[in-house]
Amino acid sequence: MPTAPPAATPAAATTAPLYAIKAELFKSLAHPTRIRALEVLAAAPDHAAPVTDLLTATGAEASQLSQHLAVLKKVGVVTSARSGNAVEYRLSQPLVAQLLVVARAFLQSTLADSSDHLAATHDLPPLPGEQR
């Protein structure tokens, strides 16, 4: 006879939405163009850059970049402000830049056995706070 799964504890019921929110954050980061745009913002003065800089750095088409930035904006990773015809994007918090530094350090550690990939990480533009 099958047994019923154990009842969720009150603490588990309370934290479950937090895990879902965190999963959405990581899903929003799951594209190379988004990561590149975030790295450009992280390295920019005041963590802000005009969309024209992001277009140049990512090589994406304007409509594609706009969609990627909308995903990041929806989860609160970036904000935007319009000034005339220009749109500037900004990291919502300096913690986002720190997250990118930690992710790059993890990547370098993970790729330590793959010399080609590891060497490629050294060719990436530096991030503020990154130790090389």
Side-chain angles (χ1 to χ4, degrees):
M1 172 179 269
T3 59
T9 64
T14 304
T15 59
L18 299 176
Y19 292 121
I21 292 168
K22 191 182 290 186
E24 284 301 312
L25 168 65
F26 284 115
K27 284 186 344 187
S28 76
L29 301 176
H31 195 281
T33 300
R34 293 181 206 146
I35 296 295
R36 181 66 185 121
L38 290 173
E39 287 186 346
V40 169
L41 293 174
D46 297 324
H47 299 304
V51 73
T52 54
D53 289 1
L54 299 174
L55 283 166
T56 301
T58 62
E61 295 291 327
S63 61
Q64 292 173 327
L65 182 61
S66 177
Q67 290 173 357
H68 287 301
L69 292 169
V71 169
L72 295 171
K73 195 172 176 181
K74 181 179 176 186
V75 297
V77 175
V78 299
T79 60
S80 66
R82 180 178 291 277
S83 177
N85 289 336
V87 178
E88 181 178 80
Y89 280 86
R90 173 182 308 277
L91 295 182
S92 62
Q93 298 182 40
L95 286 172
V96 176
Q98 292 176 12
L99 176 65
L100 295 169
V101 170
V102 170
R104 187 176 288 179
F106 174 79
L107 178 65
Q108 288 172 328
S109 174
T110 302
L111 296 175
D113 293 334
S114 174
S115 60
D116 291 342
H117 286 109
L118 183 59
T121 66
H122 296 294
D123 294 335
L124 294 171
L127 292 170
E130 179 181 22
Q131 296 181 4
R132 289 194 168 214

